[in-house]
Each structure stands twice: as structure tokens, then as C-alpha cells.
């Protein structure tokens, strides 16, 4: 009985160790991708995020970061697709709405982008990037009264 129990304990510990190391690798890929982006190496970051998603598609943070990276590379369709996944996973992530709005502005879909920004402002009204983006979008649409209103907030 003791050897069987010891064997079961060893197997359980081995399984837990494998799961822990998998989670560490996953986290390291995402952290490394964030580091690469901070250094301006966006393509390298996307490669790391692709690997993270391939290993574990359920890691939604990777989609947010990859969406931002694709936006930085002017891949607006890819950015929006990844940001949609990030929003679906966490509908309270104002940053995902901000970058989706920016990608929509870049593809001349201003009303959709403005709706994203308005929703993001309801989530986090302290992020100055939201107000800046809203003011720029309203200037592009020749809505000077809205630009002033946005800046007054």
C-alpha cells in the first residue's frame, strides 16, 4: 500500500511540475513579447505572442498585446481581430477598446471608433489617451464643438 501511495504522490507532483513549468513558459513568452515591444521590436514580439497563443489559445492577454503590436505595424484588420478576442475575454479592458477605436479610425470607420472610445471612457475616465484620441477623431470629422467638449472633460 505504501509503495502505491508513494508512486501516486510522485506522479501527482510530476504532473503539477509540468503544469507549473508550462505556465511559466507561457508567462515568459508574454513578458518577453512586452519587453520586445518596449524596445521597438514589434515583429519579434508578434512571433513570441504567436508562440504563446499556439501553445495555449486561451491566454487572452496575448491577444491584447498582439492586437496592439499589429496596430503599431499598421495591420488594422489583424489588430481589430485580436482586439475583438481580447474584448470578448475581458469586456472591461479599456485599453482594448482604445486600440480598436484607433484601428477603426485608420480604416475610416469613425462612428464605430467613437463608440469604442465612449465605452472605454465609461470604464476608465482617467486615461488621457482616450480624450486625446476622441479630440483627434472629432477634428478629423470637423466637429470642432465636440473637440472643445472633449477637452473640457
Amino acid at each position: 500500500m505504501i509503495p502505491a501511495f508513494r508512486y501516486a504522490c510522485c506522479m501527482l507532483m510530476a504532473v503539477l511540475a509540468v503544469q507549473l513549468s508550462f505556465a511559466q513558459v507561457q508567462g515568459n513568452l508574454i513578458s518577453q513579447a512586452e519587453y520586445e515591444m518596449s524596445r521597438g521590436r514589434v515583429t519579434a514580439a508578434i512571433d513570441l505572442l504567436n508562440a504563446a497563443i499556439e501553445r495555449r489559445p486561451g491566454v487572452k492577454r496575448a491577444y491584447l498585446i498582439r492586437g496592439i503590436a499589429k496596430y503599431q505595424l499598421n495591420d488594422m484588420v489583424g489588430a481589430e481581430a485580436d482586439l475583438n478576442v481580447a474584448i470578448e475575454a475581458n469586456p472591461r479592458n479599456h485599453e482594448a477598446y482604445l486600440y480598436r477605436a484607433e484601428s477603426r479610425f485608420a480604416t475610416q470607420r469613425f462612428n464605430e471608433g467613437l463608440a469604442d472610445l465612449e465605452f472605454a471612457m465609461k470604464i476608465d475616465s482617467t486615461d488621457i489617451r482616450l480624450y486625446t484620441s476622441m479630440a483627434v477623431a472629432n477634428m478629423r470629422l470637423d466637429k470642432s464643438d465636440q473637440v472643445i467638449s472633449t477637452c473640457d472633460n
Side-chain angles (χ1 to χ4, degrees), residues 60-135:
K60 302 303 182 191
R61 177 143 176 79
Y63 288 96
L64 171 65
I65 300 165
R66 190 173 72 176
I68 294 169
K70 287 180 178 180
Y71 168 78
Q72 290 178 356
L73 291 177
N74 292 317
D75 174 6
M76 299 308 161
V77 173
E80 188 169 347
D82 282 346
L83 294 165
N84 285 338
V85 173
I87 288 168
E88 185 178 309
N90 181 4
R92 304 290 304 161
N93 187 330
H94 77 283
E95 193 169 25
Y97 287 99
L98 168 63
Y99 280 96
R100 188 172 75 175
E102 292 293 343
S103 69
R104 288 176 168 179
F105 294 151
T107 57
Q108 305 299 306
R109 293 164 42 221
F110 291 102
N111 290 332
E112 292 174 75
L114 288 171
D116 277 347
L117 288 178
E118 289 170 3
F119 191 78
M121 287 176 178
K122 290 177 184 174
I123 297 168
D124 183 355
S125 62
T126 64
D127 190 336
I128 191 72
R129 297 174 301 169
L130 299 171
Y131 295 95
T132 304
S133 184
M134 180 75 79

Side-chain angles (χ1 to χ4, degrees), residues 2 6 10 27 32 34 37 39 42 46 56 60 77 79 86 101 103 107 126 140 148-149:
I2 297 287
R6 183 175 288 150
C10 288
Q32 183 64 34
E34 288 176 317
M37 284 186 61
R39 297 293 197 190
V42 180
I46 289 175
R56 193 164 169 208
K60 302 303 182 191
V77 173
S103 69
T107 57
T126 64
R140 288 181 186 159
I148 293 167
S149 172

Side-chain angles (χ1 to χ4, degrees), residues 11-30:
M11 290 303 293
L12 179 61
M13 289 174 61
V15 167
L16 291 174
V18 167
Q19 287 179 343
L20 179 59
S21 69
F22 183 78
Q24 287 173 333
V25 167
Q26 192 72 14
N28 287 342
L29 286 172
I30 294 170

